[in-house]
């Protein structure tokens, strides 16, 4: 009897284990990661307007329902991906020198903007943001607000070291750091020549009133 009871319990437990993956697979992290990666690839390949849930699912190797279980539309999917990128953020450099901090930020930004996927996706999403308030808000968070925190940290440390005046404008600092690179790499689509980042970091420091 005891043995039969034990066998029955084991059989019930085995059934529960077999059923568990079906429920757990609905939001499996590997599938979510594959879908998010597919979003970037689809955006780069066809742009937001032509992007479809079907195309994302096909590229991710999942069923269409796997996407809809997580996001109700392609807009919400893209907004989630953009917000996740913003949340990841970048650590503010702390080299002990304003000019070196700015130079490091410029190097990281230039590398990101030179990436073929970024150079295709960012302009496309900015164009979509002109038509979608939700997209505009998400992009403001991803492309501006998150980086403003990094710029603020760099500026604050420079003020503490006596390199910058206390009334320095953090937003101006961010504009000076990122504006020229965005213009050169994404608007004009020109190369960054040797020595450009050094010259730009020096110009930013001087423009902010560095001593």
């Amino acid at each position: 009897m005891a043995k039969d009871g034990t066998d029955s319990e084991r059989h019930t437990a085995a059934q529960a284990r077999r059923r568990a993956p079906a429920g757990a697979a609905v939001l499996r992290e590997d599938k979510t990661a594959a879908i998010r990666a597919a979003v970037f690839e689809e955006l780069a390949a066809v742009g937001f307007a032509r992007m479809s849930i079907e195309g994302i699912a096909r590229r991710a190797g999942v069923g269409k329902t796997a996407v809809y279980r997580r996001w109700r539309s392609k807009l919400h999917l893209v907004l989630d991906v953009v917000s996740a990128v913003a949340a990841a953020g970048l650590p503010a450099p702390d080299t002990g020198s304003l000019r070196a901090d700015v130079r490091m930020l410029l190097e990281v930004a230039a590398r990101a903007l030179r990436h073929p996927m970024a150079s295709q996706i960012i302009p496309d999403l900015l164009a979509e943001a002109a038509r979608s308030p939700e997209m505009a808000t998400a992009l403001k968070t991803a492309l501006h607000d998150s980086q403003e925190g990094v710029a603020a940290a760099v500026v604050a440390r420079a003020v503490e070291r006596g390199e910058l005046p206390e009334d320095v404008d953090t937003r101006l600092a961010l504009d000076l750091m990122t504006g020229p690179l965005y213009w050169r790499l994404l608007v004009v689509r020109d190369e960054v020549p040797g020595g450009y980042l050094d010259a730009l970091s020096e110009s930013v420091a001087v423009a902010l009133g560095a001593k």
Side-chain angles (χ1 to χ4, degrees):
M1 289 290 287
K3 184 178 184 300
D4 290 343
T6 300
D7 289 344
S8 177
E9 290 170 0
R10 287 175 179 168
H11 178 69
T12 301
Q15 284 184 316
R17 285 195 299 271
R18 283 196 296 271
R19 286 196 299 268
V26 173
L27 295 177
R28 271 173 41 190
E29 284 302 317
D30 59 335
K31 286 190 175 183
T32 302
I35 293 169
R36 284 179 168 148
V39 170
F40 284 112
E41 294 170 3
E42 278 290 289
L43 282 171
V46 303
F48 181 84
R50 294 175 57 198
M51 186 179 77
S52 67
I53 295 295
E54 291 81 359
I56 293 169
R58 185 167 52 250
R59 191 180 290 271
V62 301
K64 188 169 62 172
T65 55
V67 181
Y68 280 117
R69 286 191 184 106
R70 292 163 172 81
W71 301 278
R72 64 179 182 269
S73 70
K74 72 174 185 178
L75 174 61
H76 289 91
L77 173 52
V78 171
L79 292 179
D80 177 68
V81 171
V82 168
S83 298
V85 171
L90 290 172
D94 187 9
T95 65
S97 161
L98 172 65
R99 286 169 171 80
D101 284 350
V102 172
R103 177 63 174 76
M104 187 176 293
L105 282 176
L106 292 175
E107 176 65 37
V108 172
R111 191 182 307 122
L113 293 175
R114 273 195 297 247
H115 192 286
M117 201 171 286
S119 67
Q120 295 169 354
I121 290 174
I122 294 176
D124 180 66
L125 291 184
L126 288 174
E128 183 62 28
R131 298 182 288 269
S132 167
E134 286 182 285
M135 181 70 78
T137 299
L139 286 181
K140 182 176 183 297
T141 298
L143 301 179
H144 186 276
D145 293 359
S146 61
Q147 295 306 304
E148 187 173 14
V150 175
V154 168
V155 167
R157 290 179 187 133
V159 171
E160 290 175 1
R161 291 191 298 261
E163 293 180 274
L164 288 177
E166 294 185 0
D167 62 349
V168 64
D169 188 336
T170 299
R171 291 196 128 191
L172 175 61
L174 179 61
D175 291 345
L176 291 172
M177 290 178 201
T178 59
L181 283 178
Y182 182 87
W183 172 261
R184 177 177 285 270
L185 293 173
L186 296 187
V187 179
V188 179
R189 294 187 176 271
D190 200 358
E191 295 295 323
V192 173
Y196 177 79
L197 296 182
D198 292 327
L200 181 55
S201 59
E202 178 63 24
S203 297
V204 170
V206 171
L208 294 175
K211 298 177 182 178

